[in-house]
Amino acid sequence: MTYESTRKLYEDAGQGHLFQFWSSLSSSEQSALLAQLDSIDIKHVNRIHAKALEVEKVAEGGTSLEIIEPLPEDASSSTNDPAANSEWRQLGLRAVADGEVGVVLMAGGQGTRLGSSAPKGCYDIGLPSHKSLFQYQAERIARLQTVAETEFGKEKGSVIIPWYVMTSGPTRPETETFFEENSYFGLDPSNVVLFEQGTLPCLTMDGKVLLDTKSRVAVAPDGNGGLYTALRQPVSSKPEDVARTVLSDLAARKVKYIHSYCVDNCLVKVADPIFIGYCIHKQSDCAAKVVPKSSPTESVGVVALRQNKYNVVEYSEITKAQAEQLDPKTGELAFRAGNIANHFYTLQFLNEVKHFEEELTYHIARKKIPHIDISSGEVVKPAKPNGMKLEMFVFDVFPFTKRFAVLEVSRPEEFSPLKNAPGTGSDDPETSRRDLLFQHKRWLEAAGAKLEEGAQVEVSPLVSYAGEGLESVKGKVIRKSGVLNSLKDLDTL
C-alpha cells in the first residue's frame, strides 16, 4: 500500500494519530513504520477491541443470564482405571508408532517472574542433572519414540514425533540459539520446528493505538490463543519457509493427532499415549486434561458447561455455592475439573478454526505500557496501568468443538506448574523440583527398589518415560542421591 492509502485507512479507523511524527522521521524510519502499519489489520483491531469491551461490560454489570453447569458424566473420564489406561495406552502408542502424533509446545513466555530474562523453557529448576525444561521435554519425546519402536517392532529411528515450538518475538532468537547450542537435545533438527505467535497493538483505555517510539507501534503477544492463527503463518521468513506452515507441515507428515501444552509444567507427559488413545477412543476433535481442584477456593479455572457449551470458567465467575457444590454420586466437587492448559486436537479441527475465528472474543489485560506521548513526543513510563493488551486464550475454541472430551489425571503425576520466583513456597522452582523427584521415588519403589532416608534419585527421561523399564532395580537398596542416566548407574548409588 502507498503512504496515502495507508494514512487514509488509519484516519478512517480513528487511528490517524500514528502519523503524528511522520515529517520528523528519516526515510528508513518512515519505511519501517509504513511496513508495520500495513501488516496490521486495523479494522480487525478496532472490531475485537469493541467486542471485548462489550463482553466485559456485560460481565461486570452482572446482567449476564449465562447458565454455568458442571461437566456431564459422559464427557469426562479419569485415569483411575488400570484396564482402561492399558487400552488407551495401546491405542495411543500405536498412533505414535504409525507417525500419526505431533506435539505443539506453547513456549512464548519469558522467565521474568523467576528472575530470568531468558525464555522460560531454558530455566533450570535445580535438579541434580541441571537439565532445562526444554531438555526434559525433548528427552521425553526421544524416549517415547524408542518405547513405540520397541513395543511395535519398528526399526530403530523410524518413529518420529515432530515437535513444534511456539515462541514469541522477544523469545525466538534466544530459543533458537539455545536449541542449536544444545544440539536439539538429541532430536533430529528437521523434526523440531520453531514458529512465532502473533502480536496485536497495545491500546489506550479508550482504544487508541500506542506508539512505542515515534516510528514504531507498541505491540504485545496476542495470548496463548494466538496459537491457532500462528499455526497458519509461515514458520519463518526464510525463502524456503514462505509456503510452509505448521499446519501444512503436519499434513505433509500425515499427522492426525496433536498434543499441545505449556512449557512451565515439569511433569508434563509429552505426547501422552494414554491421553491420545483416550481421545481416539472417544472420537474427540478436541479434548482437555484436567486435575481435581484441591479445594473449593483454589484459584483455578475449571472446565465446565456455559450455556450448554464446553468452556473454561474462571474461579471468579462461579458463586461460592457452586464452588462448594458436591457431585451427589461421588461426593467430590461438582466443579472440580481444574484447567491445566494441556490439550488434544485432531488436525482436521485445527484446520477448521479459521472458519469461526471471527466469533472468538478477545480478553482485556490492563497493563502499565511505556509509550510516546502524542502531544509532546516524550517517552512516558507509567506508574499505574494506562492501557490495554488484547489476548485470546487457548481454550476459547472449546465452545466450537463437536466432540469434546475431558480426562482427569493425577496432579502428583502430571501437574506441577512453574509460575513464581524462587522461595515463594508454591508453584516455584523448589516445588517443581520436589514434585519431580518425589515422582521418581514412587517409580523406583513401585519397581521394587528401596531408597534410604535422604536419598534422592533423578531418573533421566531417556531411561523411563512414565515409570516403565525399571524392572532391574527390584531388590536394590539406594543409599546415595544422584542421577540415573542409565540403569548401569544403579551400581554407583
Side-chain angles (χ1 to χ4, degrees):
M1 294 176 69
T2 64
Y3 161 74
E4 290 78 12
S5 60
T6 301
R7 182 156 191 165
K8 184 176 187 311
L9 174 67
Y10 274 78
E11 287 176 344
D12 289 347
Q15 304 284 2
H17 63 281
L18 297 174
F19 289 90
Q20 176 76 12
F21 307 105
W22 181 265
S23 60
S24 66
L25 302 179
S26 66
S27 58
S28 61
E29 289 173 328
Q30 288 178 345
S31 296
L33 176 60
L34 198 60
Q36 186 186 25
L37 294 176
D38 285 345
S39 70
I40 296 170
D41 184 344
I42 194 60
K43 291 182 180 178
H44 173 70
V45 172
N46 283 349
R47 188 165 56 248
I48 63 176
H49 167 251
K51 186 176 180 181
L53 280 179
E54 181 183 346
V55 170
E56 185 181 69
K57 185 177 180 181
V58 170
E60 289 178 351
T63 57
S64 174
L65 299 177
E66 290 184 332
I67 299 172
I68 296 173
E69 299 172 290
L71 289 171
E73 189 176 344
D74 62 354
S76 178
S77 298
S78 79
T79 52
N80 291 334
D81 183 348
N85 288 347
S86 179
E87 178 187 343
W88 297 335
R89 181 183 180 277
Q90 191 73 2
L91 267 177
L93 200 61
R94 165 61 74 182
V96 169
D98 290 345
E100 296 177 342
V101 176
V103 172
V104 172
L105 166 60
M106 293 175 281
Q110 293 172 294
T112 309
R113 288 169 63 181
L114 302 170
S116 169
S117 61
K120 192 179 278 191
C122 302
Y123 197 81
D124 168 13
I125 61 174
L127 290 165
S129 67
H130 292 291
K131 291 177 181 177
S132 64
L133 293 170
F134 278 140
Q135 182 166 356
Y136 242 79
Q137 292 158 27
E139 291 183 353
R140 285 188 180 126
I141 290 174
R143 172 63 185 173
L144 188 58
Q145 290 174 163
T146 299
V147 170
E149 287 165 359
T150 302
E151 293 198 22
F152 287 94
K154 298 278 185 174
E155 183 180 344
K156 186 177 180 181
S158 65
V159 171
I160 294 169
I161 303 172
W163 196 22
Y164 302 88
V165 181
M166 185 174 79
T167 65
S168 61
T171 64
R172 181 166 188 160
E174 195 165 351
T175 302
E176 288 179 334
T177 300
F178 193 70
F179 272 74
E180 290 166 0
E181 289 179 346
N182 288 279
S183 303
Y184 291 80
F185 313 106
L187 297 177
D188 184 336
S190 67
N191 298 323
V192 181
V193 179
L194 273 64
F195 66 109
E196 194 172 317
Q197 73 182 103
T199 59
L200 284 169
C202 300
L203 307 174
T204 64
M205 293 300 188
D206 58 356
K208 297 295 184 182
V209 175
L210 289 165
L211 283 171
D212 183 42
T213 68
K214 293 180 180 180
S215 62
R216 186 172 67 243
V217 169
V219 297
D222 53 4
N224 57 19
L227 166 71
Y228 303 107
T229 300
L231 295 176
R232 303 195 302 268
Q233 303 303 314
V235 296
S236 81
S237 58
K238 297 176 183 177
E240 64 268 26
D241 286 332
V242 170
R244 183 188 180 206
T245 67
V246 172
L247 292 181
S248 71
D249 196 75
L250 286 163
R253 295 174 185 267
K254 295 182 169 55
V255 168
K256 295 180 180 179
Y257 312 112
I258 295 92
H259 178 222
S260 179
Y261 66 96
C262 287
V263 73
D264 61 2
N265 176 15
C266 69
L267 295 180
V268 65
K269 294 173 71 176
V270 186
D272 177 17
I274 291 177
F275 186 36
I276 300 293
Y278 167 71
C279 296
I280 294 172
H281 172 74
K282 296 280 286 186
Q283 298 184 316
S284 304
D285 55 359
C286 179
K289 267 190 184 183
V290 300
V291 296
K293 282 184 68 172
S294 59
S295 71
T297 57
E298 184 182 8
S299 300
V300 61
V302 294
V303 182
L305 290 182
R306 189 201 298 270
Q307 296 295 84
N308 209 34
K309 292 185 177 181
Y310 295 100
N311 216 317
V312 171
V313 180
E314 297 299 340
Y315 62 92
S316 57
E317 296 180 282
I318 60 176
T319 64
K320 182 175 183 291
Q322 285 175 316
E324 295 175 349
Q325 181 182 334
L326 299 180
D327 184 319
K329 289 187 177 180
T330 65
E332 298 176 299
L333 293 175
F335 291 93
R336 69 175 181 276
N339 174 50
I340 60 173
N342 192 315
H343 304 142
F344 164 93
Y345 310 94
T346 61
L347 180 58
Q348 181 179 345
F349 177 79
L350 290 177
N351 278 310
E352 290 171 354
V353 172
K354 64 183 177 184
H355 299 305
F356 57 77
E357 207 163 38
E358 281 297 317
E359 299 179 54
L360 299 173
T361 299
Y362 282 77
H363 308 268
I364 295 173
R366 288 174 173 79
K367 301 285 186 178
K368 293 183 287 187
I369 305 172
H371 64 282
I372 296 293
D373 182 87
I374 292 297
S375 302
S376 66
E378 299 296 317
V379 176
V380 177
K381 294 184 177 181
K384 60 181 182 180
N386 65 303
M388 56 180 74
K389 298 178 181 181
L390 295 172
E391 302 174 329
M392 191 183 292
F393 298 151
V394 71
F395 53 74
D396 286 334
V397 301
F398 288 2
F400 297 87
T401 60
K402 296 180 179 69
R403 297 175 303 281
F404 190 73
V406 173
L407 184 64
E408 185 177 283
V409 299
S410 164
R411 186 185 293 238
E413 289 298 329
E414 300 209 30
F415 187 55
S416 181
L418 179 62
K419 304 288 185 185
N420 301 318
T424 304
S426 66
D427 298 344
D428 63 11
E430 290 83 7
T431 58
S432 292
R433 179 173 64 252
R434 176 203 67 198
D435 292 346
L436 190 58
L437 291 176
F438 275 178
Q439 180 189 64
H440 293 179
K441 180 181 180 182
R442 290 193 297 273
W443 288 357
L444 291 166
E445 290 177 340
K450 180 183 178 183
L451 276 71
E452 291 195 347
E453 188 174 350
Q456 292 184 322
V457 178
E458 178 188 348
V459 180
S460 168
L462 296 173
V463 171
S464 183
Y465 174 85
E468 83 293 331
L470 299 174
E471 294 80 9
S472 60
V473 307
K474 187 173 182 178
K476 296 278 187 180
V477 177
I478 298 175
R479 297 179 172 84
K480 295 193 297 183
S481 298
V483 183
L484 204 62
N485 286 313
S486 75
L487 293 173
K488 293 179 182 178
D489 292 337
L490 279 170
D491 296 333
T492 67
L493 299 176

